[in-house]
Amino acid sequence: MTSLFHTHADLITDRLVLRPWTTAEAAGVLAGDRSARWADDFPTEGDLVVAGLFGEFPGWLGEFGHRVIVERDSGLTVGSLGLFWPPAEGALEIGYGVVASRRGRGYASEAARALAEFGLAAPEVRTVFANVELSNPASVRVLEKAGFRRAADDGELARFEMTREK
């Protein structure tokens, strides 16, 4: 079981710190700058896409938005994840990604569980969900290990959900 601590805007799990993106960090990613605090293979293509969308979706930079995943042992940024704020009809989508050099360590599941539980604490959120291509079994396993349950499946795409306890 993952323990979760919330200090200011950071979410701290057993092995990770989930820290909100900064505008300077997003600008650096988009400019191709390198930070000594990033794993060698950060940012990924997905991180570039998200960083490029902050101007259009400023809520993604808020408390319930997108975060970088920092490995506590090394202090390096090893991925990112986020809640696509604001919720629609009580549902909030989550996305995540961990750099190739850190995959297989359970970081994505640990981070997804922590952020989903945090999102479910918002009064207007009843469900956190992710849509995953079934051709991506690693992502399916991430969600299952994080505590999400398969809610729908059309043979190609599955919807996984975590819901607030009543």
Side-chain angles (χ1 to χ4, degrees):
M1 180 127 209
T2 299
S3 58
L4 174 67
F5 300 96
H6 177 204
T7 60
H8 300 40
D10 293 349
L11 299 177
I12 302 171
T13 69
D14 293 339
R15 301 177 298 157
L16 306 169
V17 176
L18 310 178
R19 183 180 47 71
W21 279 81
T22 66
T23 53
E25 207 163 38
V29 164
L30 293 172
D33 297 340
R34 293 284 320 146
S35 170
R37 296 179 308 199
W38 294 349
D40 289 342
D41 46 354
F42 181 87
T44 66
E45 184 177 328
D47 301 314
L48 289 166
V49 169
V50 168
L53 290 171
F54 287 144
E56 187 176 342
F57 300 100
W60 290 5
L61 288 169
E63 181 180 15
F64 289 100
H66 286 255
R67 295 164 183 270
V68 292
I69 301 170
V70 179
E71 188 176 54
R72 287 178 65 182
D73 284 347
S74 69
L76 296 176
T77 297
V78 298
S80 69
L81 79 166
L83 297 169
F84 295 91
W85 198 263
E89 299 178 10
L92 190 56
E93 186 173 5
I94 190 171
Y96 49 85
V98 172
V99 296
S101 66
R102 299 307 197 281
R103 290 184 189 146
R105 299 179 188 194
Y107 287 174
S109 294
E110 186 174 324
R113 178 181 196 88
L115 190 60
E117 289 174 351
F118 180 72
L120 288 169
E124 60 267 59
V125 178
R126 292 184 310 277
T127 302
V128 174
F129 74 92
N131 293 314
V132 179
E133 294 178 4
L134 293 173
S135 61
N136 185 350
S139 194
V140 168
R141 280 193 307 275
V142 163
L143 293 168
E144 291 172 342
K145 286 181 180 180
F148 286 73
R149 300 289 172 247
R150 189 180 304 211
D153 177 340
D154 70 4
E156 292 182 25
L157 193 67
R159 179 179 169 114
F160 285 81
E161 296 180 346
M162 183 182 288
T163 56
R164 183 178 336 142
E165 299 291 324
K166 297 194 188 254

